[in-house]
Amino acid sequence: MKTNRLQGALALARRCDAALTRFRLPLGAALALLLAALTAAFNVESGPLRNLNDIGGWSNRLLFIAMTAAVQMLLLLACALLHRGRFSRLALRELLLTAGLLIALLGINQKTYAYATLIQPLVRAMDEGGLAAALAMETNLSAPALTLLCAITRGPVYDMYLAKLFAIACFALTALLAVRAADRRGLGIRAEVLLTLLMILPQAFLNAACAPQIEGFAVLLLAMSATALDMDTPRPLAAALCFGGAAAVSGAALYALPLYALLIAEKRMKGRHLTAAGLLVLVCLLPAVCAGMAPDAALLSLVRANFGLPDYAAGSPTMMSIIPRANPLEMPEAFLLGHLESLDLLTNDQQFYTQAHFEQVMRGLSIAAVAVYAGLCALGLRKQGISPLRRAMTLTLAALFCCPAASMGAWLALDVLCVMALVGEPGLRLPACLLLFATAGAGCYPLTAEILLPVAAAWALCGVSLCMLLDVIPMGRAAARKEAS
């Protein structure tokens, strides 16, 4: 009797779901409006937006709550437009996105050292002298990235909150595009698992909520480029333009160039498409040139993010992170410096690790990184019979593993690929787990400066994962059996 009642209830639920699915878009839009309104009401008296520092009064706080609700509603509407399944799955995804947004907003008040020393001085210069003032400062951001930062922070509320909200929106939309790719491959309920993993990924929380990075927008553009190629009717021109925008915003996107060269070799794209991407990059430089920046300096800023020496690098397992900081005050032995008086006999200078030594080491590493990356690209592109996801993971990890100045935002793209591998490709689960553990464990928590894993050990794990992807180290028993056959 109970079994019959349960089966009857399930059948009724399926019929109701089928009836609601006919009106999926209007019902999804109504649910988006309801969830956005509930989130706004929740943040008025409690929630992560209940106490915003430096917001400038109740009116500005209310305005920011409204802006957050508007961003949430747009994300939920995008979720409804991208969804092609049942309404019950759509409702579940909108609830997961809402929960993920609230989790990301938990760090909205945290002002990290990286933001206070790198981003905030640029924004303060823009407040006084506009875009031209920021362009005149020494920074590793590209000229289009500074233009984007200027546009984001020109608002009525505190600039840090605007930058964080923009980063959170970019991250959430990237997660939606990843779920759309999972739907196209028929992963079923694992698409919801993918969305859940993406929304609670520690690396994404650190990147979006605690230390907003412009690279998050570049990652979104790269995801849009992949989505344009993954449509029923591929759009290679749109994909190339998205890649051009990503390369303009962040020099780290240039490391994806071998993937597009491979697409041209496979005749999925044409050379004129990349030419259009290059023209878009030049167009993105025009605001900076109009603001007084020399054209050659604007072009040089596109690659400065890869070969420059950032003032502060933490939160990602890179070569920059495992080398001691040039500034002695940032080294763990700083408390000893005041007690040591080792003097040079000729100059009477104290013998410490100086900025000059740091720059010499990093210049050599930058040249070596380009050579190593070229070799890894040659190995990855020549190998036949591997999946596109594995090829993308190999080239992306090779780029970030070699890049001296990769930041948390640059590692976010690899995190998304790893989560997709965990859900959709069992053969890549071992290196994907190692990479997620390395990038999340090496992330520096902003309040306590604690790390779960030494950065050198995390970098070594990334090297092991790269060897697995290149078949230098077999990926478990399944890979060994495949090689034996």
Side-chain angles (χ1 to χ4, degrees):
M1 181 68 69
K2 292 182 178 179
T3 303
N4 293 335
R5 289 180 179 177
L6 179 60
Q7 292 178 349
L10 291 176
L12 178 61
R14 284 193 292 268
R15 288 195 296 270
C16 292
D17 191 15
L20 293 175
T21 302
R22 300 175 185 174
F23 308 97
R24 181 183 63 246
L25 285 179
L27 290 176
L31 181 59
L33 180 61
L34 175 63
L35 290 175
L38 290 176
T39 301
F42 173 67
N43 281 294
V44 172
E45 295 296 337
S46 58
L49 304 183
R50 67 184 182 276
N51 181 25
L52 300 178
N53 301 326
D54 304 324
I55 195 65
W58 164 252
S59 59
N60 282 350
R61 188 168 80 89
L62 186 62
L63 177 60
F64 186 72
I65 291 174
M67 293 171 63
T68 304
V71 169
Q72 178 190 0
M73 187 173 66
L74 291 176
L75 289 171
L76 297 181
L77 289 176
C79 180
L81 291 173
L82 293 173
H83 186 68
R84 294 294 181 269
R86 301 192 306 270
F87 174 74
S88 58
R89 300 276 294 276
L90 173 60
L92 176 60
R93 290 182 181 181
E94 292 193 7
L95 289 173
L96 289 175
L97 274 173
T98 300
L101 178 68
L102 292 175
I103 291 173
L105 289 173
L106 289 175
I108 196 71
N109 271 319
Q110 298 175 7
K111 183 185 293 184
T112 61
Y113 179 85
Y115 183 86
T117 58
L118 298 180
I119 304 298
Q120 199 169 49
L122 294 173
V123 176
R124 293 294 171 265
M126 293 177 187
D127 293 339
E128 298 180 1
L131 178 61
L135 294 172
M137 299 177 65
E138 292 186 3
T139 175
N140 290 318
L141 294 177
S142 66
L146 288 174
T147 304
L148 177 64
L149 182 64
C150 182
I152 294 171
T153 55
R154 301 305 95 190
V157 299
Y158 187 40
D159 47 76
M160 182 181 72
Y161 298 134
L162 296 175
K164 288 185 177 183
L165 184 60
F166 177 76
I168 292 171
C170 290
F171 164 69
L173 191 52
T174 302
L176 285 179
L177 294 178
V179 172
R180 178 194 176 278
D183 284 340
R184 283 184 54 81
R185 284 150 182 81
L187 296 185
I189 194 64
R190 285 181 293 175
E192 277 67 41
V193 177
L194 170 64
L195 181 60
T196 303
L197 288 173
L198 287 171
M199 297 310 296
I200 64 175
L201 195 64
Q203 191 78 353
F205 171 74
L206 291 172
N207 174 72
C210 300
Q213 304 285 340
I214 296 297
E215 289 94 337
F217 183 62
V219 172
L220 172 60
L221 290 176
L222 289 176
M224 293 173 64
S225 177
T227 303
L229 293 173
D230 194 43
M231 299 173 65
D232 294 330
T233 303
R235 301 284 190 269
L237 179 59
L241 292 177
C242 289
F243 168 67
V249 171
S250 174
L254 293 176
Y255 284 108
L257 190 58
L259 287 174
Y260 291 89
L262 178 63
L263 292 173
I264 293 177
E266 294 178 350
K267 300 188 182 306
R268 297 177 60 186
M269 292 183 68
K270 297 182 179 180
R272 65 172 181 267
H273 295 144
L274 281 186
T275 302
L279 292 176
L280 179 62
V281 173
L282 296 179
V283 170
C284 293
L285 295 175
L286 289 179
V289 174
C290 294
M293 193 175 193
D296 56 342
L299 288 172
L300 184 61
S301 70
L302 295 175
V303 294
R304 192 185 304 155
N306 292 298
F307 301 105
L309 302 175
D311 300 326
Y312 184 81
S316 56
T318 62
M319 289 186 290
M320 176 74 76
S321 302
I322 63 177
I323 296 176
R325 299 291 179 265
N327 184 359
L329 296 179
E330 295 181 14
M331 297 173 63
E333 301 83 1
F335 70 96
L336 294 175
L337 299 181
H339 305 285
L340 298 178
E341 297 182 356
S342 176
L343 301 180
D344 185 90
L345 297 178
L346 296 177
T347 63
N348 290 330
D349 290 334
Q350 293 183 346
Q351 297 302 299
F352 293 135
Y353 183 66
T354 65
Q355 180 70 20
H357 300 144
F358 186 70
E359 292 182 1
Q360 291 173 2
V361 171
M362 288 312 300
R363 286 195 187 98
L365 284 177
S366 299
I367 297 172
V370 174
V372 172
Y373 181 60
L376 292 174
C377 284
L379 288 174
L381 294 177
R382 288 177 57 190
K383 191 172 182 61
Q384 302 296 325
I386 64 175
S387 66
L389 180 59
R390 181 174 176 180
R391 194 183 300 276
M393 283 183 63
T394 303
L395 294 180
T396 305
L397 176 58
L400 298 181
F401 187 75
C402 299
C403 180
S407 66
M408 287 189 296
W411 281 90
L412 181 57
L414 184 63
D415 287 340
V416 174
L417 290 174
C418 289
V419 176
M420 293 180 68
L422 287 175
V423 177
E425 194 161 342
L428 298 178
R429 285 176 180 170
L430 180 57
C433 286
L434 290 178
L435 288 173
L436 284 178
F437 176 70
T439 57
C444 181
Y445 285 85
L447 289 181
T448 60
E450 297 175 350
I451 56 175
L452 303 178
L453 186 70
V455 178
W459 196 61
L461 284 179
C462 292
V464 172
S465 303
L466 183 59
C467 292
M468 289 181 179
L469 293 172
L470 292 172
D471 281 337
V472 177
I473 300 176
M475 287 186 286
R477 296 179 180 177
R481 286 196 299 267
K482 182 178 178 181
E483 290 183 354
S485 62

